[in-house]
Amino acid sequence: AAEFAAHAQKDMNWKKALASEHREKAMEALQKELASLEHMILKEVKSEDEDYEDALKLATPGRLLLDIKRSGKYKCRGVKQGFKEDKVSADGEGFNYYSSVVKLNAVRMTLTRRRTRNRYIGIKDVSTAFLQSHKYEDGTVNYLSFKHPVTGQWIYYRQYGPIYGEASAPVRWENTIAPWLEEQGVIRGENERCVFYHPDRDLLVLLYVDDVMADGEAADVEWIFELLADRFECKDADYVV
């Protein structure tokens, strides 16, 4: 684990990566990320489009970050420079940016609670969760730009939903997944807003941004995870107990 951590790198220099023997891996990660963003929330604005001038004036700049994960895999992630956003134009006046995550003491209580042999704990990660949030209301469109690491040219996009780095992205994701959980019959806590409980199944669900932890009978944990995977693109579950 220590060796993997030593080789993990964040926000790498694109020029060095592209000039190295790992150029193809970096390029593959870049192309995969741009394709994913264009599939989910972005549409490129071309010079012949009628809103091209608007995109030039209004686009919030973003960055394409290149990382090496602990597994050695190259990963690119497009993020918005949220501190440069015009928040009133993007989200409207009075928008509430506060978002909830489960507190550490609730996680500790769940992990150390008395349990029978029939209960176990699973954790499921929603992939690129912010990109799977509900799209902007009323057809709202924002503009985003990236400087292409290879060509050095700026690319402009219409943005139809939240992205990483955006000020409103965490609460927009919460407002997507929390109501969905409630639709499955899971009751949301009043004091601890990211703790959910299904009384009929005696199933406890904890939410920390894109990580969903479920504590219950094996069949019930699998039930909520299967529903989650049907609704959102997810990674495979891990089981603690």
Side-chain angles (χ1 to χ4, degrees), residues 31-191:
Q31 292 164 1
K32 182 178 179 180
E33 175 66 1
L34 290 177
S36 174
L37 290 173
E38 291 179 16
H39 172 70
M40 300 183 78
I41 61 164
L42 300 182
K43 184 173 179 59
E44 186 176 353
V45 182
K46 304 285 182 70
S47 57
E48 61 269 20
D49 292 334
E50 60 181 18
D51 60 344
Y52 182 71
E53 292 299 324
D54 290 336
L56 294 181
K57 295 176 184 177
L58 302 175
T60 301
R63 297 187 63 209
L64 293 163
L65 305 180
L66 181 64
D67 302 335
I68 299 180
K69 302 178 74 173
R70 285 177 294 179
S71 63
K73 182 180 180 180
Y74 277 69
K75 177 177 177 60
C76 175
R77 171 161 285 182
V79 302
K80 177 182 279 191
Q81 293 182 287
F83 63 95
K84 295 183 178 180
E85 279 185 285
D86 181 343
K87 294 182 177 61
V88 174
S89 297
D91 304 311
E93 190 143 1
F95 188 91
N96 185 357
Y97 293 94
Y98 177 81
S99 61
S100 306
V101 294
V102 67
K103 295 180 178 63
L104 182 58
N105 60 357
V107 177
R108 285 174 173 164
M109 290 170 65
T110 301
L111 292 173
T112 58
R113 70 187 295 205
R114 187 175 182 180
R115 64 184 64 252
T116 66
R117 292 184 179 181
N118 296 341
R119 296 183 70 88
Y120 75 153
I121 295 174
I123 301 174
K124 199 167 185 67
D125 182 3
V126 180
S127 304
T128 56
F130 289 178
L131 305 184
Q132 299 191 62
S133 303
H134 294 316
K135 300 299 186 288
Y136 295 140
E137 302 84 357
D138 304 322
T140 300
V141 177
N142 291 324
Y143 293 99
L144 175 67
S145 61
F146 291 123
K147 187 175 183 180
H148 197 284
V150 179
T151 66
Q153 301 296 313
W154 283 91
I155 315 171
Y156 294 87
Y157 293 98
R158 300 182 196 92
Q159 182 189 344
Y160 298 98
I163 190 172
Y164 287 86
E166 186 168 332
S168 66
V171 69
R172 290 184 185 274
W173 166 243
E174 181 185 348
N175 291 338
T176 299
I177 190 169
W180 178 85
L181 284 168
E182 291 181 286
E183 290 172 5
Q184 315 315 310
V186 186
I187 300 171
R188 189 176 192 182
E190 293 293 337
N191 296 319

